[in-house]
Amino acid sequence: MLYKETAQGFEPWNPADPIGSFRYPSNIEQLWDAASLAALGLYAPVGSDPVPDGKIVTGTTVQRVGNVVKFVNTLEDAPVRTPSDTPLTMRQLRLGLLLIGGFSSSFIQEAIDAIPDATQRGIAQIWYDESSVVEWDHAMTQQLIAGAGLTTEQAATMWMQAKDLDA
């Protein structure tokens, strides 16, 4: 898409709008080189700079930076993610316990087996065996964290590192 330079900045060019008193073909971008387009005040902006870690894009404009017409992002600090807004797949959870937490695959099973009430133990087993996505705030997640003897801080640290494991 071409952008037209105006006194107010850059705006998307509508091929139906004449430049001067002449209408140009809508495929002019494929027919003319960048210098010929620039002579008309038309530009195909280059891509924006990469978004740094910890930032998010809140808007994009077209601007002249030096002698280059490019997309320029408006950035803000990314919100801090927490376990509560970061569900894990069961695979990420299990790999996180093993690879990050250093716990054997039987670690959670031992916590489930230690639940005294048979019904609650059965519910925990089904939850652990059959869940595909694990929510931090789910009551069973919190029960198993406590039952396994993990502090909330230990579990949260492992959780936030596990989110980056291949799901």
Side-chain angles (χ1 to χ4, degrees):
M1 169 180 242
L2 293 175
Y3 283 75
K4 181 179 177 183
E5 188 168 23
T6 68
Q8 294 76 35
F10 290 90
E11 60 185 43
W13 175 61
N14 181 348
D17 294 339
I19 298 174
S21 61
F22 191 77
R23 281 202 169 90
Y24 291 90
S26 60
N27 65 342
I28 192 173
E29 184 175 3
Q30 288 78 38
L31 301 174
W32 290 23
D33 65 18
S36 299
L37 291 169
L40 293 176
L42 295 177
Y43 300 88
V46 298
S48 61
D49 295 335
V51 177
D53 288 341
K55 298 289 184 178
I56 58 170
V57 176
T58 59
T60 303
T61 59
V62 175
Q63 298 178 20
R64 184 180 299 278
V65 180
N67 282 334
V68 178
V69 175
K70 64 186 293 182
F71 290 104
V72 176
N73 294 325
T74 303
L75 304 174
E76 288 184 6
D77 291 336
V80 176
R81 293 183 67 188
T82 67
S84 290
D85 55 61
T86 310
L88 297 181
T89 65
M90 186 56 82
R91 182 177 186 278
Q92 287 172 314
L93 176 63
R94 288 177 173 174
L95 285 173
L97 287 166
L98 180 65
L99 300 173
I100 299 163
F103 300 106
S104 70
S105 58
S106 63
F107 180 70
I108 295 296
Q109 188 60 55
E110 291 166 8
I112 292 170
D113 292 343
I115 297 172
D117 181 78
T119 302
Q120 291 304 310
R121 188 170 51 251
I123 291 170
Q125 189 68 58
I126 291 169
W127 178 86
Y128 189 64
D129 290 342
E130 303 297 329
S131 294
S132 57
V133 175
V134 183
E135 301 283 341
W136 175 265
D137 294 325
H138 191 281
M140 189 58 66
T141 304
Q142 294 304 307
Q143 180 180 348
L144 290 176
I145 287 171
L150 294 173
T151 66
T152 302
E153 293 77 23
Q154 289 171 316
T157 298
M158 183 279 305
W159 192 280
M160 294 310 292
Q161 290 175 7
K163 74 176 175 40
D164 295 326
L165 296 173
D166 187 24

